[in-house]
Amino acid sequence: MANSMPVVQPISARIADRVSAQTMAIPWYIWCCLTSVVSAVVGSEWDISWHKSIGRDSFWTPAHILIQLSGVLAGIACGYLILWTTFNKRSPLRDVSVSMWGFRAPLGAFLCAWGGVAMVTSAPFDNWWHNSYGLDVKILSPPHVLLALGMTGIRFGTVVMILAEMNRAQGLYRAKLERVLFVAVAFLMGMTVGIMQEHTNRVFMHGATFYAVIMFTAPIVIAMMAWVSDNRWAATIMTAILTVVNLALVWILPLFPAQPKLGPVYQHVTHLVPPDFPLLLIVPAVVFDLLRQRTLTWGRSRQATTLGAAFLASFIAVQWPFAHFLMSPASRNAIFATTNYPYAVPPMSPWVRNVFVPTEASVGEFWVRMAIALAAAVVMTRIGIAWGEWMRRIRR
Amino acid sequence: MKIAVQSRWLAILAFLLLAAWPLCAHVGSPDVYYEGDAGPYHLFVTVRTPPVIPGVAEVRVRAVSGGVQAIRIVPLRLTGPGSNLPPTPDLAEASKDDPQFFTANLWLMEEGALQVRILADGPQGNGELSVPVASFAQRTLPMPKPLAGLLFGLLLVLTVGVISIVGAGAREASLEPGATPGRTNVRRARIAMAVTIVLVLALLYLGRTWWGIEAASYERRVNFYKPPKAETTLENGNRLVIRAQGNDPRWSVRINMERVIPDHNHLMHLFLISLPGMEHMWHLHPAKAEGGAFVDDLPSMPAGKYQIFADVVDERGFPWTLTGMTELPSISGKPMMGDDSSWSGEPLATTQAHSTVSELADGTRIVWDRANGPLKSNVAIDFKFSVQDKDGKPVEDLEPYMGMAGHAELVRSDFSVFAHVHPSGSVAMASLELAQASLLGDASSMPAGMVMAGDTGVSGPLPPVLSFPYGFPQPGDYRIFVQVKRSERVETGVFDAHVD
């Protein structure tokens, strides 16, 4: 009997967890925010593909509607949540909320609301920008960055809301929330890395600037994910989700027919142009998780230095030769989709000619920027660790 | 960082200057007027170019010959890549009042030499023509005050909001449910908010600097397409040397003046117009010299100040008008030869008077058959002129002048507008030839009034009535020079017009 106790107790505990997980449903506002994030992800990728393939759009394209739906959904859900928590004295969320400007709500709700206001602000700013400087057919412009900040606010707010709930939960319910968290953080990294996609085209992959850009945007999220989760493979799982989503876009979007409606047209386009083949971030993510498990007892700065340097080294080790492959005829197929050029890319562009573009003027400058990439990898990993440790403590 | 700050101030300065400067590109007349045949249909096309690129051009098509059921339009590059892959055409909307008048909005996505291809459908079949369009950024807009106020308010909300959210998060986010924040939490929140204030201010500063750099970059594009300066020197008493100087340092790198293409038989059409009253006008054709310069041995002319307009077309088919002012001494030059021509007469009337008859030296006259009522700016007009002998009968001895039935130059009193137009419209003939060449196999699309020298189809005299499609870009007093050729002699009629 005494020997059977250790077996019986875990079983009952597991049953209790399962019951808890079934009865403890993920709150509606988390689903709303997650739906808002997915809506923005699909809308943004669709919109970018639309601009690459068709060109002309209006306020009411399906892609724009999805992006606007994202802001509206997050805004209404979090606005209601803030008002309900503030004015309903019996709201169970009052004890797990923070106060701001006399309102009370979970911290994530305020972040999502902030993101919604930023998205709304970007609209008239962007419209004036078009009238004043012409339609900006690029991702990185001040009004677009403000829009991206708003979208990031909603994604980060969603992550914070899930984490607050997760950090208060136990057992299977916590595991359930963690699975949702992986998806939310993957989309957050999709935002931080994706906003820089004009600098991560394959033509730049043999320049140090490309690696510096990735080190400024990826390790911070990967480190945060690894530190907020109990899962030993958190960074790998999260990066794998992002990679699968990006692969799905690469393979699904070309299935839809499309024709340019703007000119001049330089490329014969017959279908929606997908994004570039995803970066091989999965490899440094695996290296990150492996090394983290072996350095748990180290000091945080030493750990960040090791993990950051390993992240950069492993990323260069796979992405550099992979860039050669992406430039080769072997990649010109439906799997790697390296011949899907936007209609407005001239035939003499290095992209179309599969020629690397040097981003540094000299060998010396190349190594200086590589040093910057290394420093960025270490510093951003350290910030990500601190960020993750703080996020682990979030209860509200 | 110093450069960034400088760029910001340059951008601010550019904003202030743009608010005060009139448009002066090409020169002050960016819209395109064109008359030609799309297969069996005779069309009058107006392309109102957008002030910013990418931007939306307004295209108006009037089917003069009637019988058109549908008009579709597509933009392409004039030459090279992008000139052979048309996007899905836009269907123009027919007017409810006039079914032969069509309008459409067309996105011009790039600067440079483009063409707008017009496809006409009707019971007589299909036809197409191509209109060259010089696409370029003309200006930037200052931000309206109400919008600036709205954006500033929202920016304030976002700034204070993010600082407050960080404070709330640092103060309460880690507390167990139901717990109240202690003094440590409050102190931590204050530190976090202070750090956030610094970060947000730094971010705002960087954002503003970036905005300034973007604005300066756009401003450079605007400057690039402003009319280049015609820098002149006088050598050996009568040899005028002209060099082009762009308003942007990249201009001389990208535009090769040694590779300009012939525009109705000449590489450059030089107009010297006396200041201030336009009492004298010379239409000359300098020759190319080394280093991208152009030279002309001037004919005899009185001393004085002269406004320079010099038309060239670059190798991509983009038309440029060099502008400048020169002060010349009295010149004793050679007699004019070939296609060179001149005119002397009364100064421009600025009393809002209109002239419709211009007497020529031999008693013949050119008559402007203009509609009653005031002339309006930004309205497409078919300027009709007839050449009559001293008895008022149509002359029968008009010849092609540089391959065309006639030439007209329209100049605003302050020289802010200059247009050199032909019976086919305001497009440069060299650009038009490139556009027509892109319409492979469509010989029916020869532009109206264009009878290129050496064309075997031309024999006998030209009709005595000429028409020039054009629209005044802004109100003011204008002088119109109309040039025709009779019995191997170029005749110039002059008309003054006030535009409301």
Side-chain angles (χ1 to χ4, degrees), chain B residues 135-176:
Chain B
S135 170
F136 58 96
Q138 299 165 31
R139 63 175 170 82
T140 54
L141 274 179
M143 189 177 281
K145 280 184 179 174
L147 179 64
L150 174 72
L151 287 178
F152 182 76
L154 288 167
L155 186 67
L156 206 61
V157 170
L158 288 171
T159 304
V160 177
V162 75
I163 294 165
S164 303
I165 289 171
V166 169
R171 188 176 57 243
E172 299 172 65
S174 307
L175 292 177
E176 290 300 327

mmCIF file of all heavy atoms in Angstrom, chain B residues 135-176:
data_model
loop_
_atom_site.group_PDB
_atom_site.id
_atom_site.type_symbol
_atom_site.label_atom_id
_atom_site.label_comp_id
_atom_site.label_asym_id
_atom_site.label_seq_id
_atom_site.Cartn_x
_atom_site.Cartn_y
_atom_site.Cartn_z
ATOM 1 N N SER B 135 6.292 61.377 -66.425
ATOM 2 C CA SER B 135 5.789 61.195 -65.054
ATOM 3 C C SER B 135 6.871 61.641 -64.082
ATOM 4 O O SER B 135 7.997 61.137 -64.122
ATOM 5 C CB SER B 135 5.457 59.708 -64.862
ATOM 6 O OG SER B 135 5.185 59.428 -63.518
ATOM 7 N N PHE B 136 6.519 62.592 -63.237
ATOM 8 C CA PHE B 136 7.529 63.088 -62.289
ATOM 9 C C PHE B 136 6.862 63.727 -61.079
ATOM 10 O O PHE B 136 5.733 64.220 -61.161
ATOM 11 C CB PHE B 136 8.461 64.098 -62.965
ATOM 12 C CG PHE B 136 7.774 65.286 -63.562
ATOM 13 C CD1 PHE B 136 7.679 66.479 -62.861
ATOM 14 C CD2 PHE B 136 7.204 65.218 -64.826
ATOM 15 C CE1 PHE B 136 7.035 67.573 -63.405
ATOM 16 C CE2 PHE B 136 6.550 66.311 -65.385
ATOM 17 C CZ PHE B 136 6.475 67.499 -64.666
ATOM 18 N N ALA B 137 7.567 63.678 -59.961
ATOM 19 C CA ALA B 137 7.061 64.291 -58.729
ATOM 20 C C ALA B 137 7.183 65.806 -58.858
ATOM 21 O O ALA B 137 8.245 66.315 -59.196
ATOM 22 C CB ALA B 137 7.862 63.791 -57.539
ATOM 23 N N GLN B 138 6.093 66.505 -58.595
ATOM 24 C CA GLN B 138 6.087 67.954 -58.796
ATOM 25 C C GLN B 138 6.191 68.750 -57.501
ATOM 26 O O GLN B 138 6.680 69.875 -57.494
ATOM 27 C CB GLN B 138 4.807 68.364 -59.530
ATOM 28 C CG GLN B 138 4.670 67.721 -60.904
ATOM 29 C CD GLN B 138 3.272 67.823 -61.467
ATOM 30 O OE1 GLN B 138 2.553 68.786 -61.188
ATOM 31 N NE2 GLN B 138 2.866 66.846 -62.250
ATOM 32 N N ARG B 139 5.702 68.191 -56.415
ATOM 33 C CA ARG B 139 5.661 68.988 -55.191
ATOM 34 C C ARG B 139 5.383 68.090 -53.996
ATOM 35 O O ARG B 139 5.080 66.908 -54.150
ATOM 36 C CB ARG B 139 4.578 70.057 -55.267
ATOM 37 C CG ARG B 139 3.186 69.467 -55.399
ATOM 38 C CD ARG B 139 2.127 70.539 -55.345
ATOM 39 N NE ARG B 139 0.820 70.026 -55.693
ATOM 40 C CZ ARG B 139 0.009 69.384 -54.851
ATOM 41 N NH1 ARG B 139 0.390 69.151 -53.620
ATOM 42 N NH2 ARG B 139 -1.177 68.963 -55.244
ATOM 43 N N THR B 140 5.478 68.664 -52.809
ATOM 44 C CA THR B 140 4.983 68.001 -51.610
ATOM 45 C C THR B 140 3.925 68.904 -50.976
ATOM 46 O O THR B 140 3.917 70.100 -51.207
ATOM 47 C CB THR B 140 6.096 67.767 -50.583
ATOM 48 O OG1 THR B 140 6.736 69.014 -50.316
ATOM 49 C CG2 THR B 140 7.124 66.784 -51.094
ATOM 50 N N LEU B 141 3.065 68.276 -50.192
ATOM 51 C CA LEU B 141 1.995 69.027 -49.535
ATOM 52 C C LEU B 141 2.374 69.302 -48.087
ATOM 53 O O LEU B 141 2.809 68.382 -47.392
ATOM 54 C CB LEU B 141 0.716 68.206 -49.512
ATOM 55 C CG LEU B 141 -0.239 68.234 -50.681
ATOM 56 C CD1 LEU B 141 -1.397 67.305 -50.379
ATOM 57 C CD2 LEU B 141 -0.742 69.627 -50.918
ATOM 58 N N PRO B 142 2.208 70.514 -47.613
ATOM 59 C CA PRO B 142 2.359 70.723 -46.167
ATOM 60 C C PRO B 142 1.169 70.091 -45.445
ATOM 61 O O PRO B 142 0.098 69.921 -46.029
ATOM 62 C CB PRO B 142 2.359 72.245 -46.017
ATOM 63 C CG PRO B 142 1.656 72.752 -47.224
ATOM 64 C CD PRO B 142 1.871 71.752 -48.326
ATOM 65 N N MET B 143 1.356 69.733 -44.196
ATOM 66 C CA MET B 143 0.267 69.085 -43.460
ATOM 67 C C MET B 143 -0.775 70.130 -43.035
ATOM 68 O O MET B 143 -0.413 71.150 -42.438
ATOM 69 C CB MET B 143 0.810 68.379 -42.221
ATOM 70 C CG MET B 143 -0.227 67.513 -41.541
ATOM 71 S SD MET B 143 0.434 66.618 -40.133
ATOM 72 C CE MET B 143 1.269 65.272 -40.939
ATOM 73 N N PRO B 144 -2.054 69.903 -43.344
ATOM 74 C CA PRO B 144 -3.086 70.860 -42.914
ATOM 75 C C PRO B 144 -3.116 70.960 -41.380
ATOM 76 O O PRO B 144 -2.901 69.963 -40.683
ATOM 77 C CB PRO B 144 -4.385 70.247 -43.437
ATOM 78 C CG PRO B 144 -3.982 69.225 -44.437
ATOM 79 C CD PRO B 144 -2.617 68.764 -44.069
ATOM 80 N N LYS B 145 -3.406 72.164 -40.891
ATOM 81 C CA LYS B 145 -3.373 72.384 -39.439
ATOM 82 C C LYS B 145 -4.327 71.483 -38.654
ATOM 83 O O LYS B 145 -3.955 70.948 -37.607
ATOM 84 C CB LYS B 145 -3.666 73.854 -39.128
ATOM 85 C CG LYS B 145 -2.438 74.744 -39.313
ATOM 86 C CD LYS B 145 -2.722 76.163 -38.916
ATOM 87 C CE LYS B 145 -1.469 77.002 -39.107
ATOM 88 N NZ LYS B 145 -1.720 78.426 -38.873
ATOM 89 N N PRO B 146 -5.590 71.290 -39.132
ATOM 90 C CA PRO B 146 -6.482 70.408 -38.356
ATOM 91 C C PRO B 146 -5.922 68.984 -38.237
ATOM 92 O O PRO B 146 -5.991 68.365 -37.173
ATOM 93 C CB PRO B 146 -7.787 70.409 -39.172
ATOM 94 C CG PRO B 146 -7.727 71.657 -39.979
ATOM 95 C CD PRO B 146 -6.296 71.912 -40.267
ATOM 96 N N LEU B 147 -5.345 68.490 -39.348
ATOM 97 C CA LEU B 147 -4.774 67.142 -39.301
ATOM 98 C C LEU B 147 -3.562 67.109 -38.377
ATOM 99 O O LEU B 147 -3.380 66.163 -37.605
ATOM 100 C CB LEU B 147 -4.381 66.688 -40.714
ATOM 101 C CG LEU B 147 -3.741 65.305 -40.811
ATOM 102 C CD1 LEU B 147 -4.716 64.220 -40.372
ATOM 103 C CD2 LEU B 147 -3.239 65.011 -42.222
ATOM 104 N N ALA B 148 -2.752 68.163 -38.466
ATOM 105 C CA ALA B 148 -1.572 68.226 -37.593
ATOM 106 C C ALA B 148 -2.011 68.212 -36.123
ATOM 107 O O ALA B 148 -1.406 67.534 -35.288
ATOM 108 C CB ALA B 148 -0.758 69.479 -37.899
ATOM 109 N N GLY B 149 -3.098 68.961 -35.837
ATOM 110 C CA GLY B 149 -3.605 68.998 -34.462
ATOM 111 C C GLY B 149 -4.114 67.636 -34.017
ATOM 112 O O GLY B 149 -3.837 67.182 -32.903
ATOM 113 N N LEU B 150 -4.860 66.966 -34.917
ATOM 114 C CA LEU B 150 -5.395 65.640 -34.593
ATOM 115 C C LEU B 150 -4.258 64.642 -34.329
ATOM 116 O O LEU B 150 -4.269 63.913 -33.332
ATOM 117 C CB LEU B 150 -6.265 65.140 -35.757
ATOM 118 C CG LEU B 150 -6.777 63.701 -35.639
ATOM 119 C CD1 LEU B 150 -7.866 63.612 -34.574
ATOM 120 C CD2 LEU B 150 -7.319 63.199 -36.978
ATOM 121 N N LEU B 151 -3.276 64.650 -35.228
ATOM 122 C CA LEU B 151 -2.172 63.700 -35.072
ATOM 123 C C LEU B 151 -1.348 64.010 -33.820
ATOM 124 O O LEU B 151 -0.903 63.101 -33.122
ATOM 125 C CB LEU B 151 -1.274 63.726 -36.316
ATOM 126 C CG LEU B 151 -1.862 63.062 -37.559
ATOM 127 C CD1 LEU B 151 -0.909 63.189 -38.739
ATOM 128 C CD2 LEU B 151 -2.162 61.596 -37.310
ATOM 129 N N PHE B 152 -1.181 65.308 -33.538
ATOM 130 C CA PHE B 152 -0.426 65.668 -32.332
ATOM 131 C C PHE B 152 -1.165 65.175 -31.081
ATOM 132 O O PHE B 152 -0.564 64.642 -30.147
ATOM 133 C CB PHE B 152 -0.216 67.186 -32.272
ATOM 134 C CG PHE B 152 0.603 67.619 -31.082
ATOM 135 C CD1 PHE B 152 1.981 67.445 -31.066
ATOM 136 C CD2 PHE B 152 -0.016 68.178 -29.968
ATOM 137 C CE1 PHE B 152 2.731 67.819 -29.965
ATOM 138 C CE2 PHE B 152 0.727 68.558 -28.863
ATOM 139 C CZ PHE B 152 2.105 68.382 -28.857
ATOM 140 N N GLY B 153 -2.491 65.347 -31.091
ATOM 141 C CA GLY B 153 -3.292 64.883 -29.949
ATOM 142 C C GLY B 153 -3.185 63.377 -29.759
ATOM 143 O O GLY B 153 -2.971 62.882 -28.651
ATOM 144 N N LEU B 154 -3.306 62.635 -30.878
ATOM 145 C CA LEU B 154 -3.213 61.177 -30.792
ATOM 146 C C LEU B 154 -1.811 60.739 -30.369
ATOM 147 O O LEU B 154 -1.642 59.793 -29.597
ATOM 148 C CB LEU B 154 -3.574 60.550 -32.146
ATOM 149 C CG LEU B 154 -5.059 60.609 -32.519
ATOM 150 C CD1 LEU B 154 -5.274 60.260 -33.984
ATOM 151 C CD2 LEU B 154 -5.868 59.657 -31.652
ATOM 152 N N LEU B 155 -0.823 61.468 -30.873
ATOM 153 C CA LEU B 155 0.563 61.140 -30.490
ATOM 154 C C LEU B 155 0.761 61.359 -28.991
ATOM 155 O O LEU B 155 1.434 60.572 -28.313
ATOM 156 C CB LEU B 155 1.538 62.009 -31.290
ATOM 157 C CG LEU B 155 3.022 61.700 -31.104
ATOM 158 C CD1 LEU B 155 3.358 60.332 -31.676
ATOM 159 C CD2 LEU B 155 3.885 62.766 -31.771
ATOM 160 N N LEU B 156 0.137 62.428 -28.489
ATOM 161 C CA LEU B 156 0.230 62.718 -27.048
ATOM 162 C C LEU B 156 -0.416 61.586 -26.236
ATOM 163 O O LEU B 156 0.136 61.132 -25.225
ATOM 164 C CB LEU B 156 -0.468 64.052 -26.762
ATOM 165 C CG LEU B 156 0.005 64.828 -25.546
ATOM 166 C CD1 LEU B 156 1.474 65.199 -25.673
ATOM 167 C CD2 LEU B 156 -0.840 66.086 -25.354
ATOM 168 N N VAL B 157 -1.596 61.146 -26.706
ATOM 169 C CA VAL B 157 -2.288 60.042 -26.015
ATOM 170 C C VAL B 157 -1.421 58.786 -26.018
ATOM 171 O O VAL B 157 -1.265 58.106 -24.997
ATOM 172 C CB VAL B 157 -3.650 59.757 -26.701
ATOM 173 C CG1 VAL B 157 -4.267 58.466 -26.173
ATOM 174 C CG2 VAL B 157 -4.603 60.928 -26.475
ATOM 175 N N LEU B 158 -0.826 58.498 -27.175
ATOM 176 C CA LEU B 158 0.009 57.296 -27.279
ATOM 177 C C LEU B 158 1.245 57.402 -26.390
ATOM 178 O O LEU B 158 1.642 56.440 -25.742
ATOM 179 C CB LEU B 158 0.438 57.086 -28.738
ATOM 180 C CG LEU B 158 -0.648 56.622 -29.704
ATOM 181 C CD1 LEU B 158 -0.155 56.658 -31.141
ATOM 182 C CD2 LEU B 158 -1.108 55.211 -29.342
ATOM 183 N N THR B 159 1.848 58.600 -26.372
ATOM 184 C CA THR B 159 3.071 58.788 -25.583
ATOM 185 C C THR B 159 2.778 58.658 -24.095
ATOM 186 O O THR B 159 3.433 57.887 -23.378
ATOM 187 C CB THR B 159 3.670 60.184 -25.879
ATOM 188 O OG1 THR B 159 3.875 60.287 -27.291
ATOM 189 C CG2 THR B 159 4.986 60.373 -25.166
ATOM 190 N N VAL B 160 1.780 59.405 -23.639
ATOM 191 C CA VAL B 160 1.420 59.337 -22.214
ATOM 192 C C VAL B 160 0.902 57.942 -21.890
ATOM 193 O O VAL B 160 1.172 57.389 -20.812
ATOM 194 C CB VAL B 160 0.366 60.421 -21.877
ATOM 195 C CG1 VAL B 160 -0.070 60.322 -20.426
ATOM 196 C CG2 VAL B 160 0.933 61.809 -22.156
ATOM 197 N N GLY B 161 0.186 57.347 -22.857
ATOM 198 C CA GLY B 161 -0.377 56.015 -22.645
ATOM 199 C C GLY B 161 0.702 54.972 -22.411
ATOM 200 O O GLY B 161 0.622 54.185 -21.467
ATOM 201 N N VAL B 162 1.729 54.965 -23.245
ATOM 202 C CA VAL B 162 2.753 53.924 -23.109
ATOM 203 C C VAL B 162 3.542 54.122 -21.809
ATOM 204 O O VAL B 162 3.910 53.143 -21.133
ATOM 205 C CB VAL B 162 3.680 53.876 -24.357
ATOM 206 C CG1 VAL B 162 4.669 55.013 -24.398
ATOM 207 C CG2 VAL B 162 4.434 52.556 -24.401
ATOM 208 N N ILE B 163 3.749 55.386 -21.428
ATOM 209 C CA ILE B 163 4.461 55.637 -20.158
ATOM 210 C C ILE B 163 3.604 55.131 -18.987
ATOM 211 O O ILE B 163 4.098 54.479 -18.062
ATOM 212 C CB ILE B 163 4.779 57.140 -20.017
ATOM 213 C CG1 ILE B 163 5.791 57.556 -21.093
ATOM 214 C CG2 ILE B 163 5.316 57.462 -18.619
ATOM 215 C CD1 ILE B 163 5.912 59.044 -21.295
ATOM 216 N N SER B 164 2.308 55.403 -19.059
ATOM 217 C CA SER B 164 1.410 54.975 -17.980
ATOM 218 C C SER B 164 1.304 53.450 -17.925
ATOM 219 O O SER B 164 1.248 52.861 -16.836
ATOM 220 C CB SER B 164 0.012 55.569 -18.188
ATOM 221 O OG SER B 164 0.096 56.966 -18.255
ATOM 222 N N ILE B 165 1.266 52.806 -19.107
ATOM 223 C CA ILE B 165 1.165 51.340 -19.131
ATOM 224 C C ILE B 165 2.411 50.715 -18.508
ATOM 225 O O ILE B 165 2.320 49.775 -17.709
ATOM 226 C CB ILE B 165 0.966 50.843 -20.588
ATOM 227 C CG1 ILE B 165 -0.436 51.195 -21.079
ATOM 228 C CG2 ILE B 165 1.182 49.335 -20.676
ATOM 229 C CD1 ILE B 165 -0.666 50.941 -22.555
ATOM 230 N N VAL B 166 3.573 51.267 -18.841
ATOM 231 C CA VAL B 166 4.811 50.745 -18.253
ATOM 232 C C VAL B 166 4.778 50.935 -16.734
ATOM 233 O O VAL B 166 5.137 50.032 -15.961
ATOM 234 C CB VAL B 166 6.037 51.449 -18.879
ATOM 235 C CG1 VAL B 166 7.299 51.125 -18.086
ATOM 236 C CG2 VAL B 166 6.207 51.008 -20.326
ATOM 237 N N GLY B 167 4.302 52.102 -16.313
ATOM 238 C CA GLY B 167 4.204 52.364 -14.869
ATOM 239 C C GLY B 167 3.270 51.383 -14.191
ATOM 240 O O GLY B 167 3.598 50.796 -13.140
ATOM 241 N N ALA B 168 2.099 51.167 -14.797
ATOM 242 C CA ALA B 168 1.122 50.233 -14.212
ATOM 243 C C ALA B 168 1.684 48.821 -14.170
ATOM 244 O O ALA B 168 1.505 48.094 -13.183
ATOM 245 C CB ALA B 168 -0.168 50.266 -15.040
ATOM 246 N N GLY B 169 2.381 48.446 -15.249
ATOM 247 C CA GLY B 169 2.956 47.104 -15.297
ATOM 248 C C GLY B 169 4.025 46.920 -14.234
ATOM 249 O O GLY B 169 4.051 45.893 -13.531
ATOM 250 N N ALA B 170 4.913 47.904 -14.096
ATOM 251 C CA ALA B 170 6.001 47.789 -13.111
ATOM 252 C C ALA B 170 5.450 47.820 -11.679
ATOM 253 O O ALA B 170 5.994 47.196 -10.777
ATOM 254 C CB ALA B 170 6.993 48.919 -13.324
ATOM 255 N N ARG B 171 4.367 48.529 -11.483
ATOM 256 C CA ARG B 171 3.803 48.697 -10.137
ATOM 257 C C ARG B 171 2.966 47.491 -9.703
ATOM 258 O O ARG B 171 3.078 47.030 -8.569
ATOM 259 C CB ARG B 171 2.954 49.976 -10.113
ATOM 260 C CG ARG B 171 2.464 50.395 -8.724
ATOM 261 C CD ARG B 171 1.726 51.733 -8.803
ATOM 262 N NE ARG B 171 0.609 51.658 -9.744
ATOM 263 C CZ ARG B 171 0.521 52.394 -10.857
ATOM 264 N NH1 ARG B 171 1.472 53.270 -11.153
ATOM 265 N NH2 ARG B 171 -0.527 52.265 -11.666
ATOM 266 N N GLU B 172 2.156 46.967 -10.618
ATOM 267 C CA GLU B 172 1.135 46.018 -10.180
ATOM 268 C C GLU B 172 1.126 44.663 -10.885
ATOM 269 O O GLU B 172 0.518 43.723 -10.380
ATOM 270 C CB GLU B 172 -0.264 46.650 -10.354
ATOM 271 C CG GLU B 172 -0.467 47.903 -9.534
ATOM 272 C CD GLU B 172 -1.784 48.574 -9.890
ATOM 273 O OE1 GLU B 172 -2.828 47.979 -9.633
ATOM 274 O OE2 GLU B 172 -1.740 49.707 -10.421
ATOM 275 N N ALA B 173 1.791 44.560 -12.041
ATOM 276 C CA ALA B 173 1.616 43.341 -12.843
ATOM 277 C C ALA B 173 2.108 42.092 -12.131
ATOM 278 O O ALA B 173 1.566 41.001 -12.337
ATOM 279 C CB ALA B 173 2.331 43.492 -14.192
ATOM 280 N N SER B 174 3.105 42.237 -11.277
ATOM 281 C CA SER B 174 3.668 41.039 -10.617
ATOM 282 C C SER B 174 3.008 40.735 -9.276
ATOM 283 O O SER B 174 3.378 39.751 -8.616
ATOM 284 C CB SER B 174 5.170 41.238 -10.391
ATOM 285 O OG SER B 174 5.784 41.588 -11.597
ATOM 286 N N LEU B 175 2.097 41.565 -8.849
ATOM 287 C CA LEU B 175 1.461 41.347 -7.543
ATOM 288 C C LEU B 175 0.538 40.137 -7.583
ATOM 289 O O LEU B 175 -0.105 39.859 -8.601
ATOM 290 C CB LEU B 175 0.637 42.583 -7.152
ATOM 291 C CG LEU B 175 1.425 43.869 -6.842
ATOM 292 C CD1 LEU B 175 0.453 45.002 -6.550
ATOM 293 C CD2 LEU B 175 2.366 43.656 -5.665
ATOM 294 N N GLU B 176 0.468 39.430 -6.444
ATOM 295 C CA GLU B 176 -0.471 38.321 -6.353
ATOM 296 C C GLU B 176 -1.894 38.892 -6.393
ATOM 297 O O GLU B 176 -2.120 40.044 -6.028
ATOM 298 C CB GLU B 176 -0.252 37.561 -5.043
ATOM 299 C CG GLU B 176 1.051 36.767 -4.999
ATOM 300 C CD GLU B 176 1.135 35.712 -6.102
ATOM 301 O OE1 GLU B 176 0.079 35.158 -6.480
ATOM 302 O OE2 GLU B 176 2.246 35.459 -6.607
#
